[in-house]
């Protein structure tokens, strides 16, 4: 049994527990997770039906049939042609699965035109979101997923080391130029794409947590927030380091960097099965608050990472969600001093039987 079929069978068990009759998926991370078939959303009806019992079925345009059969474990592939009305084919599928009057969970990202067609085909059905059954499965990574995440982590580690080795050569570059060089290095180290554009925040730009990159020139002594990742077999890495490429930083910087590094360590050391996600956030936040920078830590401590670079579980204040073995998430405390500089340090961790495994292993200090 492939990992994709195992996940689908687990999804069917959750459908039964949720008293739902089927999940209907659209080209998305959820469809990839269960079927192994990856495609971007488009204007044609391409749907995967996962019933509570029995075999799943694809409904696809006939020009996709060969591709779906080659890339997915799902054997039941039903087609329609451009000369057909896809709504007729949709009616046949929902009738075949006897979904009239049932409870149907649709992909959270399904385009409105397709969800509306489903509603028209099933006017008496009760609709919900597929995340009810799929999200808990995706939050616990299996061996195949962990292997891809480890390889993605190793690739970004290698790229980070090469960025640090630039040292004084990075001074005089613009943030845009350094971001382009980072993308080149990620590809050179085996990355298959990027999950988000590299964040390069130099000097005062680093005080904006989601500053992307711009035309500011990196100067000697600038703290530079570097946040980037790569993708391997659909799974991303995500790592942040704050460095000074050359020269001496502002007087307060070394202190702030040390506080953020201590907060990251405290949070990682809190991770183990059964611990609430909010407790991990609190471990990081207490260190920063005790140092007097509590009001400058302005975001959650972390987010889950999987097929999406932001997914469950979220490491946020007040969350009572208990961590489980196989959860993968970021730990990324930060302190941001407006018009001066920012500091963020981020690693990905896997919850293990007795603690946490780090997926990143590069220097966390600020000197290059």
């Amino acid at each position: 049994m492939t990992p994709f079929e195992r996940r689908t069978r687990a999804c069917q068990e959750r459908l039964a527990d949720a008293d739902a009759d089927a999940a209907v998926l659209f080209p998305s991370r959820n469809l990839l997770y269960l079927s192994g078939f990856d495609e971007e959303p488009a204007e044609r009806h391409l749907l995967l039906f996962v019933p509570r019992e029995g075999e799943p079925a694809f409904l696809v345009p006939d020009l996709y049939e060969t591709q779906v059969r080659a890339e997915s474990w799902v054997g039941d592939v039903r087609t329609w042609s451009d000369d057909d009305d896809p709504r007729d084919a949709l009616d046949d599928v929902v009738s075949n699965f006897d979904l009239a009057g049932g409870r149907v969970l649709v992909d959270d990202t399904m385009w409105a035109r397709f969800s509306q067609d489903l509603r028209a085909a099933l006017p008496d059905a009760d609709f919900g979101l597929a995340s009810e059954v799929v999200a808990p499965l995706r939050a616990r990574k299996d061996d195949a997923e962990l292997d891809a995440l480890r390889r993605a982590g190793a690739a970004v580690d290698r790229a980070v080391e090469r960025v640090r080795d630039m040292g004084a050569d990075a001074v005089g570059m613009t943030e845009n130029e350094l971001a382009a060089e980072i993308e080149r290095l990620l590809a050179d180290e085996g990355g298959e794409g990027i999950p988000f554009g590299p964040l390069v925040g130099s000097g005062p730009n680093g005080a904006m947590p989601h500053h992307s990159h711009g035309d500011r020139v990196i100067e000697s002594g600038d703290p530079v927030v570097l946040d980037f990742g790569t993708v391997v077999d659909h799974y991303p890495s995500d790592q942040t380091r704050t460095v000074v490429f050359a020269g001496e930083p502002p007087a307060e910087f070394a202190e702030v960097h040390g506080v953020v590094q201590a907060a990251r360590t405290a949070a990682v050391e809190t991770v183990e099965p059964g611990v609430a996600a909010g407790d991990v956030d609190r471990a990081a936040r207490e260190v920063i608050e005790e140092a007097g920078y509590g009001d400058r830590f302005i975001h959650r401590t972390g987010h889950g990472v999987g097929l999406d670079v932001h997914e469950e579980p979220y490491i946020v204040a007040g969350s009572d969600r208990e961590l489980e073995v196989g959860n993968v998430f970021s730990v990324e405390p930060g302190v941001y001093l407006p018009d001066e500089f920012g500091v963020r340090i981020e690693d990905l961790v896997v919850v293990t039987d007795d603690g946490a495994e780090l997926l990143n292993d590069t220097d966390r200090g600020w000197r290059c």
Side-chain angles (χ1 to χ4, degrees):
M1 186 181 293
T2 69
F4 302 104
E5 182 177 358
R6 281 197 297 271
R7 296 168 194 166
T8 302
R9 300 309 179 193
C11 177
Q12 290 179 304
E13 293 177 7
R14 287 191 172 271
L15 284 168
D17 292 342
D19 196 26
D21 295 281
V24 184
L25 305 181
F26 168 76
S28 65
R29 301 301 189 189
N30 286 336
L31 188 145
L32 169 61
Y33 179 76
L34 295 184
S35 74
F37 178 66
D38 186 27
E39 184 56 82
E40 293 297 316
E43 76 278 8
R44 293 183 172 93
H45 289 62
L46 194 162
L47 304 171
L48 174 65
F49 289 77
V50 180
R52 180 164 59 190
E53 297 178 352
E55 297 304 307
F58 266 107
L59 174 64
V60 305
D62 55 8
L63 71 164
Y64 278 93
E65 180 179 7
T66 301
Q67 184 181 353
V68 170
R69 291 189 184 280
E71 296 179 15
S72 172
W73 73 274
V74 176
D76 188 351
V77 181
R78 310 178 192 194
T79 65
W80 59 275
S81 75
D82 280 351
D83 296 331
D84 301 328
D85 186 336
R87 292 171 294 186
D88 293 336
L90 180 61
D91 286 341
D92 290 341
V93 175
V94 299
S95 175
N96 180 255
F97 280 118
D98 193 22
L99 299 180
R103 184 163 186 257
V104 179
L105 306 182
V106 300
D107 207 315
D108 299 45
T109 62
M110 185 180 291
W111 288 0
R113 61 178 297 188
F114 303 118
S115 61
Q116 289 295 89
D117 285 348
L118 270 173
R119 288 179 180 275
L122 295 167
D124 298 321
D126 175 32
F127 286 90
L129 295 177
S131 56
E132 180 179 343
V133 294
V134 181
L137 297 174
R138 286 181 53 182
R140 295 191 66 171
K141 273 54 184 181
D142 59 30
D143 289 344
E145 293 177 289
L146 291 175
D147 176 67
L149 285 161
R150 290 184 181 108
R151 286 183 286 128
V156 81
D157 274 359
R158 294 191 294 270
V160 166
E161 294 295 355
R162 292 177 67 179
V163 172
R164 297 182 74 105
D165 286 346
M166 294 172 67
D169 290 341
V171 174
M173 297 178 72
T174 66
E175 295 172 347
N176 290 332
E177 290 170 337
L178 181 54
E181 178 64 7
I182 287 169
E183 289 195 42
R184 187 192 70 78
L185 292 173
L186 289 169
D188 193 46
E189 293 298 341
E192 300 164 4
I194 55 174
F196 56 91
L199 275 60
V200 179
S202 63
N205 287 344
M208 297 180 283
H210 274 182
H211 172 75
S212 177
H213 45 78
D215 57 7
R216 185 181 186 279
V217 174
I218 298 169
E219 300 177 359
S220 180
D222 272 347
V224 183
V225 178
L226 302 169
D227 185 345
F228 55 87
T230 192
V231 176
V232 173
D233 287 348
H234 301 291
Y235 285 84
S237 51
D238 188 4
Q239 181 174 161
T240 306
R241 297 292 183 261
T242 304
V243 303
V244 177
F245 285 105
E248 291 303 313
E252 196 176 358
F253 171 77
E255 175 190 349
V256 173
H257 193 280
V259 169
V260 173
Q261 188 152 329
R264 185 217 68 96
T265 299
V268 171
E269 290 178 348
T270 303
V271 174
E272 63 180 36
V275 168
D279 290 344
V280 179
D281 180 273
R282 183 164 58 248
R285 206 164 297 278
E286 285 179 348
V287 172
I288 293 174
E289 288 174 348
E290 288 173 5
Y293 295 101
D295 62 338
R296 304 319 314 159
F297 181 12
I298 54 179
H299 54 73
R300 65 194 173 208
T301 293
H303 55 85
V305 174
L307 286 171
D308 287 309
V309 75
H310 283 202
E311 60 179 45
E312 296 184 16
Y314 293 98
I315 310 305
V316 62
S319 173
D320 59 3
R321 177 175 182 148
E322 292 187 358
L323 301 180
E324 302 175 277
V325 173
N327 287 165
V328 176
F329 53 85
S330 67
V331 174
E332 50 180 308
V335 169
Y336 308 92
L337 304 184
D339 301 320
E340 297 184 53
F341 61 83
V343 176
R344 185 167 66 255
I345 303 173
E346 174 189 20
D347 290 309
L348 299 189
V349 301
V350 182
V351 181
T352 64
D353 290 333
D354 56 1
E357 171 194 349
L358 286 167
L359 293 181
N360 307 112
D361 190 27
T362 63
D363 186 351
R364 297 176 185 88
W366 58 267
R367 290 189 183 275
C368 289

